[in-house]
Amino acid sequence: MEALLGIIYLDWGLDESKRCVEQWFAQWLKPQQLLPLSEKDPKTQLQEWLQKRGMSLPNYPLIAAHGEAHQQTFEVICTIEVLSIQAKGIGTSRRKAEQEAARQVLIKITEHDS
């Protein structure tokens, strides 16, 4: 699947790739979950969205780390206090957990704006 999307992206660009993903996975996704595709990671997207609106940046406190040192799973919370939005992210690194938490917050913001 990833290879196919990569070929579509390289041959026809980002807009066509997005259209394909939306078409192929529409039955499993709600329309508000289809965030605009961007080359920026979710944490950067969230930071830019907040800064454009003069809001303070979120913290990503670590709430848990599970597993052996070489194979841990991390859990973080991302909170946007002014919007009363909070989301948890889980990942194989703290960075991945933060990215997932930011992605979840962006989805909630999209739902909030709808």
Side-chain angles (χ1 to χ4, degrees):
M1 180 64 70
E2 292 172 6
L4 181 58
L5 281 173
I7 290 168
I8 293 169
Y9 173 75
L10 290 174
D11 286 350
W12 292 291
L14 184 62
D15 290 337
E16 184 63 19
S17 299
K18 180 183 176 188
R19 190 194 66 71
C20 289
V21 168
E22 289 174 347
Q23 181 180 352
W24 296 341
F25 298 103
Q27 67 186 18
W28 296 288
L29 298 173
K30 297 176 186 174
Q32 63 267 24
Q33 289 177 313
L34 299 173
L35 298 174
L37 291 178
S38 172
E39 292 182 16
K40 297 177 184 174
D41 62 83
K43 201 170 164 184
T44 301
Q45 289 179 42
L46 178 59
Q47 179 176 325
E48 290 177 355
W49 189 91
L50 293 168
Q51 286 177 327
K52 283 180 186 177
R53 289 155 181 83
M55 297 179 192
S56 60
L57 300 179
N59 290 320
Y60 296 87
L62 180 67
I63 58 171
H66 308 281
E68 300 293 323
H70 66 281
Q71 198 173 20
Q72 285 189 312
T73 300
F74 298 86
E75 295 180 39
V76 300
I77 293 286
C78 177
T79 303
I80 311 300
E81 290 185 28
V82 70
L83 298 175
S84 299
I85 294 176
Q86 187 176 64
K88 180 168 60 170
I90 300 172
T92 55
S93 70
R94 185 168 180 167
R95 182 178 180 277
K96 288 180 182 178
E98 290 173 352
Q99 297 290 353
E100 177 59 22
R103 190 180 76 76
Q104 293 297 326
V105 167
L106 286 168
I107 289 170
K108 289 181 179 190
I109 287 172
T110 304
E111 292 171 350
H112 183 266
D113 286 347
S114 312

